[in-house]
Amino acid sequence: MIISRKIQIRLNVFFITAIILLITILSMYELGYMDELLNILAKDNYIFYWMLLVGVFAEIVAGSMGMGYGVICTTTLLFLNIPPHIVSASIHSAESFTTAAGSLSHIKLKNVSKTLVKKLAVPAVIGAIIGAVSLTYLGEYYSKITKTLIAFYTLYLGIQILSNAFKDKQNKALKKKTNLTRLGVIGGFIDAFAGGGWGPLVTGTLIKNAFTPRFAVGSSTVAKFILTITAAITFFLTLGIQHWNIILGLLIGGIITAPFSAMLTAKLPVKKMFLVIGILVIVMSSITIYKSVFK
């Protein structure tokens, strides 16, 4: 019942978005702008289409595992030699829309604890602003060092994702020991600075520390939406809009896939996906580190 309602909510978002896109495309065709649009989308070695594929893949993973969207996008963009500050700014701009859809779903399904959201979101906003401003400066002027540091972090996240396939049973004593303020600040900072990581760090910690999984995922998703909007606005004020073709590709890819990710959740072998995604992130991060250090 819950899964079917979740699918219905996401399908509604999908159909509304599809209608808007269709009207836009038909309008551009009627006005004679289609050839110009296709030429623009072909810029930067067709990166729009590559980002479209990445957005689809990342949303499938995020929909089935409850985490991984930012990690996969960041790892891929760094692998393609996109500057770190552009990476995070692009991802958070696109995620503003995808996390909004996910948050709406969880709110309507009553998977959200207002208290938990408040305890996570307020410090996360502070962390996100500090992280975005720090990355704007470091990413622009110390791109190679920043890229290497973020690649090491995504390597760590890859190992964490991989370890989820073999994780032990929850220890309920850890729930009382969880410092939500510190978790929110660190999670917000890392997510904005590294382009992702909120899911594996915050959602993963909550579930590991015996918070009810449905409230952990739902509340964490809403808090993530709030910090994503904050990070996107901060990047907009400090950098403006750059590489919109990356943003558009990630956004459309995520929107296309989001309505069906709930259906995939029940069918995909999650533990095997942890293994595959963990190994993929580790390999790509390792290559990025090698290229940053030795080339």
Side-chain angles (χ1 to χ4, degrees):
M1 179 66 179
I2 290 178
I3 293 293
S4 62
R5 284 177 62 199
K6 191 171 184 179
I7 292 170
Q8 187 59 55
I9 292 166
R10 293 192 174 190
L11 281 173
N12 290 340
V13 174
F14 170 74
F15 286 127
I16 291 169
T17 307
I19 290 168
I20 293 170
L21 282 173
L22 185 61
I23 292 171
T24 304
I25 291 169
L26 288 173
S27 300
M28 293 190 75
Y29 178 78
E30 289 294 326
L31 293 170
Y33 291 130
M34 276 304 293
D35 289 339
E36 187 179 343
L37 176 63
L38 291 173
N39 287 333
I40 292 171
L41 294 179
K43 284 185 176 180
D44 300 323
N45 296 317
Y46 298 93
I47 197 167
F48 166 78
Y49 299 103
W50 288 111
M51 291 304 100
L52 194 66
L53 289 175
V54 171
V56 168
F57 179 62
E59 184 59 37
I60 289 172
V61 173
S64 60
M65 301 194 323
M67 62 184 76
Y69 184 93
V71 178
I72 290 170
C73 293
T74 300
T75 306
T76 306
L77 289 169
L78 288 178
F79 185 77
L80 295 173
N81 292 318
I82 306 297
H85 57 296
I86 302 299
V87 170
S88 188
S90 300
I91 291 170
H92 284 91
S93 297
E95 270 194 309
S96 297
F97 297 90
T98 55
T99 54
S103 296
L104 264 172
S105 297
H106 284 296
I107 290 169
K108 289 192 176 184
L109 294 172
K110 299 181 180 179
N111 290 340
V112 178
S113 163
K114 291 182 181 178
T115 304
L116 185 54
V117 170
K118 197 180 295 183
K119 288 182 178 179
L120 286 172
V122 174
V125 164
I126 297 168
I129 293 171
I130 297 170
V133 172
S134 300
L135 182 64
T136 297
Y137 176 74
L138 293 173
E140 192 167 358
Y141 297 102
Y142 302 98
S143 179
K144 189 173 181 180
I145 296 171
T146 308
K147 182 179 176 180
T148 307
L149 289 173
I150 294 173
F152 270 110
Y153 177 65
T154 56
L155 176 65
Y156 163 75
L157 289 180
I159 295 169
Q160 287 291 99
I161 290 170
L162 192 63
S163 68
N164 280 332
F166 312 100
K167 66 181 179 181
D168 298 324
K169 291 181 179 180
Q170 298 169 337
N171 181 358
K172 292 188 177 180
L174 291 171
K175 183 174 181 178
K176 294 180 181 178
K177 296 180 182 178
T178 307
N179 188 321
L180 295 174
T181 301
R182 183 172 61 192
L183 184 64
V185 171
I186 295 172
F189 174 83
I190 288 176
D191 196 87
F193 188 85
W198 176 268
L201 177 63
V202 177
T203 310
T205 299
L206 292 175
I207 293 173
K208 183 181 176 184
N209 289 11
F211 283 79
T212 305
R214 104 177 226 246
F215 287 116
V217 173
S219 304
S220 178
T221 299
V222 175
K224 162 74 172 175
F225 165 66
I226 295 168
L227 88 85
T228 299
I229 290 291
T230 303
I233 292 171
T234 306
F235 281 123
F236 174 75
L237 293 174
T238 54
L239 293 171
I241 295 179
Q242 300 183 39
H243 290 272
W244 66 266
N245 46 358
I246 295 176
I247 299 170
L248 193 61
L250 292 174
L251 175 60
I252 293 175
I255 287 173
I256 289 171
T257 316
F260 310 105
S261 60
M263 291 182 256
L264 292 169
T265 302
K267 296 180 180 180
L268 291 175
V270 177
K271 285 201 172 186
K272 288 182 181 177
M273 284 196 68
F274 276 131
L275 284 170
V276 173
I277 302 306
I279 292 169
L280 183 64
V281 170
I282 289 168
V283 170
M284 292 180 70
S285 298
S286 299
I287 293 171
T288 301
I289 291 167
Y290 174 79
K291 286 163 67 178
S292 298
V293 174
F294 298 106
K295 290 189 179 183

